[in-house]
Every structure is written in C-alpha cells, then in structure tokens.
Amino acid sequence: MNTRYPYTAGAEESDDGLQQFPESEEGERRSSARAWVDAEGYLRRAQRILAITHLAPDGDAIGSLLAFGRGMQSLGKAVTMACQDAAHPRFNYLGGVHDIRQSGDGAFDLLVAIDASDLQRLGTIFLPVEHSRVPMVVFDHHITNTQFGAVNVVDSNSASSSEIIFKLLRRMDIHITGEIASALLTGIITDTLAFRTSSTTPETLATAMDLMRAGASLHDITRRALVLRSYDSIHFLAAGIMASQLDDGIVYATITRKMRKDMGVKEERGDAGLVGTLITAMEASAAAVFVENPDGSIDVGLRCAPGLDVSQVAFEFGGGGHTVAAGCTLPGPMRDAVNRMLARLRRMIREQ
Ligand code: AMP
Ligand code: MN
Ligand code: MN
C-alpha cells in the first residue's frame, strides 16, 4: 500500500498483516542528535531545495513550510515551496503564501518533507520517478511517522512541526524575521488550539514567547488562524452537530457530498472543525467524522479522550496522526467506511 521511498527504513508489517509503527520504549518518538547533524549537513550542502508539506494543509503545514523556505532562502539557496492543495485563504496574512506551488516539477538536489507522516501525504507533489534519485530530509512530529527520508528529524514530543523548524533555524543561526515568526506562531497556535492541547509543553510556550519578541502578534494570529470562520461553515458545523449520534461512547457524524451541495458549501474538503467539537461531549471516549470526497473515498477524522490512542487506529487504516487526534482515508461507500471504523473504535475502547 505504501509507496516505499528508496532510502527508507519504513514501518513493519506485523503477523496479523496490520502495519505497526516503530516505537521507542517510552511510547514516543524522539529524533536522535545524529539525525539533526545529518539534516543540517544536507541542508548546508544543498543548492536547490524542493520543500513539500502535506496535502490539505493546516496552519502548521503552511507555517512550517513558509518558515523553512524563507529561512533557507536567506542563506542564498534556491527553495521551491510546494503543496498539492492550495492554502486556505485564512492564511493570506502570511508572507510568501502565494509563492507556494502546486507542482513538484524542476531540478532539485534535495527534497525536504515537513509535517507529513508518510510519503502518501505529499500527494501529487512527490514524483516517484524523478524524486527517487534525490535524497530527502524529513522534519515531522507525528508519532506514526514512517521514517521515509534518508534522514528523519521526527519528534513526537513536539506539539507542532513549526517548533522543530524553529529549532532548526536557531541551530543554523538563521535570523528569525517578523515574517518567519508569524509563520511559526501560526503553526503552534493551530496545532495546539492556542496552547490547550496535551501536547503543549513549557518549551512550546517559550518558543511562542521568542516568536512574539521577534514580531509575531499572538492575538492577531489566533483570531485569523483559529477563531474567524465563514458564516457558511458555522451552518455546516451546526448541521453536522445535529446529524451526529452518540453510541457506546462514540460520537460520530457523516458528511455526504449531497449534504455539502445542498448547503451550498464551496469548499470540497474538510469538516469545519466538527470532530474537534464532537469530542468535547463529556460522554465521548472517541469522536469520528466521515467526510465523503468528490472521488467517493471517505476522509475520517478521529479524536479520543486522554488514555486512548487513535493514532494506532488511523495508522492501521493507512493514515496517521497523534495519540488523541488522527485521521485516515477509507474507500467508499460511506456505510462500509462507517461500519469498519466504528467496529475498530469499539475494540479500542473495550481494550482500554
Ligand atoms: P484532522 O482531523 O484533519 O485535524 O487531523 C488530525 C491529525 O491526523 C493531523 O495530525 C493529521 O496530520 C492527521 N491525519 C488526518 N488525516 C490523515 C490521513 N489521511 N493520513 C495521515 N494522517 C492524517
Ligand atoms: Mn499538519
Ligand atoms: Mn503538525
């Protein structure tokens, strides 16, 4: 199922045929000092870099990509920033967002993947024939990362990839401009829901403080990246909430193409934050939102209460994420996707 990148030491298949992600004894993923040194070596030597973030990009994807791109450009390197899908217009306040391309064409001597847990998350930007000849450095914070690069700087203790890029820029003595600071703080604010997630650490707060001192506005970024939404999406969220069901500690909702069309929602993807709202039910051990894509496949967003782990569930279905927030894409039709996932989530709760 996974396209293997030639330099990869990837995820293993277990006896039951399900993919297991490699895990340290502490159940976390921390990148070695060696990986940092190797990554820096690759970056210092590179002249033409293709930097790629994951499809359907969120604030951390866009923020960490822009900060990396601008930072490396300040060293005189040619950096092309790319993502399969365009950034949401809410991120138009970020400098450089219009320089992000939706193609991976060109001649490059280094690929850099940011905030992506596996090669599939790079979507159409990764060109298997051309790019397999070029080394890849991975910067990421997903516990399910498949270590698909030649060098993998993966720290699942980091609340965002933006914090990892901040560390990289500091290590390389790259000046954090106001523009870079705003990009990185955007990533931190969106992935921590403004410092409210269990992934938020004192180091997250210290980084945010440094970024504010470098010129990023906390209140403005929080408002633009997290709070403001279209009136349409409020209706959409309300409809999703009304259509949701609570069953055995699982709150779930399905969003079909027809619902989206009937409501006149312009965006083809996304759940408008529905799964994050459903998991706020006190009765919920898990929440799932099933979104039907234009091609008939089903995007599944997953959340769980502390003590449970949806990252393993998502990973088994070819997706990934974090312990309490993860996702995957299943084949349609909707009813089959819902049945498969609910059965797996019930097992997760039973085996707790
Ligand atoms: P979301 O529900 O879209 O906010 O995603 C929650 C987390 O799951 C994020 O860390 C995503 O990167 C990850 N995720 C969502 N969908 C997928 C997918 N199809 N494959 C891998 N990871 C995913
Ligand atoms: Mn992301
Ligand atoms: Mn992230």
Side-chain angles (χ1 to χ4, degrees):
M1 169 185 23
N2 278 353
T3 317
R4 286 291 171 87
Y5 182 71
Y7 293 88
T8 302
E12 306 295 328
E13 288 242 326
S14 66
D15 294 343
D16 55 8
L18 296 175
Q19 288 191 334
Q20 302 287 327
F21 51 88
E23 220 180 69
S24 72
E25 278 168 27
E26 306 83 44
E28 59 191 35
R29 300 283 295 279
R30 223 187 250 274
S31 101
S32 65
R34 180 64 200 265
W36 275 105
V37 172
D38 291 350
E40 194 177 331
Y42 271 108
L43 292 171
R44 292 243 178 244
R45 288 189 299 272
Q47 297 293 321
R48 299 183 58 83
I49 302 172
L50 175 63
I52 315 169
T53 195
H54 65 80
L55 49 80
D58 50 25
D60 189 33
I62 297 298
S64 54
L65 177 69
L66 287 174
F68 174 85
R70 286 295 192 244
M72 291 301 139
Q73 283 165 354
S74 76
L75 296 182
K77 297 175 190 300
V79 185
T80 298
M81 300 179 286
C83 181
Q84 176 190 293
D85 303 308
H88 191 282
R90 68 163 62 246
F91 298 118
N92 281 353
Y93 66 92
L94 290 175
V97 75
H98 299 296
D99 297 340
I100 300 175
R101 294 195 337 190
Q102 287 174 255
S103 145
D105 289 339
F108 304 101
D109 54 15
L110 187 66
L111 304 182
V112 175
I114 306 174
D115 200 41
S117 55
D118 62 57
L119 203 51
Q120 281 63 43
R121 294 287 282 166
L122 304 184
T124 53
I125 302 299
F126 182 77
L127 307 171
V129 175
E130 294 88 332
H131 291 165
S132 291
R133 287 191 281 268
V134 184
M136 188 187 301
V137 175
V138 168
F139 293 102
D140 186 35
H141 70 124
H142 293 95
I143 194 165
T144 56
N145 189 287
T146 59
Q147 311 270 316
F148 57 102
V151 177
N152 302 281
V153 177
V154 178
D155 184 359
S156 70
N157 287 312
S158 187
S160 61
S161 292
S162 292
E163 287 159 81
I164 298 174
I165 298 303
F166 176 79
K167 260 195 214 168
L168 174 74
L169 300 184
R170 276 280 167 89
R171 276 182 75 101
M172 295 183 73
D173 282 324
I174 292 170
H175 175 62
I176 310 254
T177 60
E179 193 177 86
I180 291 176
S182 295
L184 292 176
L185 193 57
T186 294
I188 292 176
I189 293 289
T190 51
D191 264 22
T192 66
L193 307 176
F195 312 111
R196 290 184 299 152
T197 58
S198 56
S199 56
T200 304
T201 62
E203 207 182 354
T204 313
L205 296 173
T207 302
M209 185 172 75
D210 285 346
L211 295 173
M212 286 179 78
R213 290 202 168 118
S217 167
L218 178 65
H219 77 88
D220 192 47
I221 290 171
T222 304
R223 182 173 149 79
R224 289 173 188 266
L226 207 58
V227 175
L228 286 181
R229 44 164 79 248
S230 69
Y231 183 67
D232 264 2
S233 78
I234 295 174
H235 263 224
F236 179 78
L237 191 58
I241 293 168
M242 293 308 292
S244 70
Q245 298 176 57
L246 171 63
D247 186 9
D248 294 337
I250 304 170
V251 186
Y252 66 97
T254 56
I255 309 286
T256 59
R257 278 175 287 182
K258 185 171 182 309
M259 279 168 74
R260 210 181 273 270
K261 197 161 151 247
D262 290 350
M263 294 184 58
V265 177
K266 286 169 219 84
E267 284 162 42
E268 287 194 332
R269 285 183 169 268
D271 76 342
L274 180 58
V275 73
T277 303
L278 297 182
I279 194 61
T280 64
M282 275 179 171
E283 294 85 348
S285 295
V289 168
F290 300 84
V291 180
E292 192 182 23
N293 292 319
D295 69 0
S297 66
I298 313 288
D299 275 345
V300 189
L302 299 170
R303 298 289 185 275
C304 64
L308 294 166
D309 180 6
V310 282
S311 73
Q312 176 64 47
V313 172
F315 192 79
E316 286 175 16
F317 288 105
H322 311 288
T323 312
V324 295
C328 58
T329 304
L330 298 180
M334 182 65 92
R335 194 176 351 140
D336 292 353
V338 171
N339 288 340
R340 285 174 74 195
M341 184 53 78
L342 290 186
R344 182 63 186 88
L345 290 175
R346 284 195 197 97
R347 179 154 74 83
M348 172 188 79
I349 293 169
R350 225 176 27 243
E351 290 175 355
Q352 181 182 8

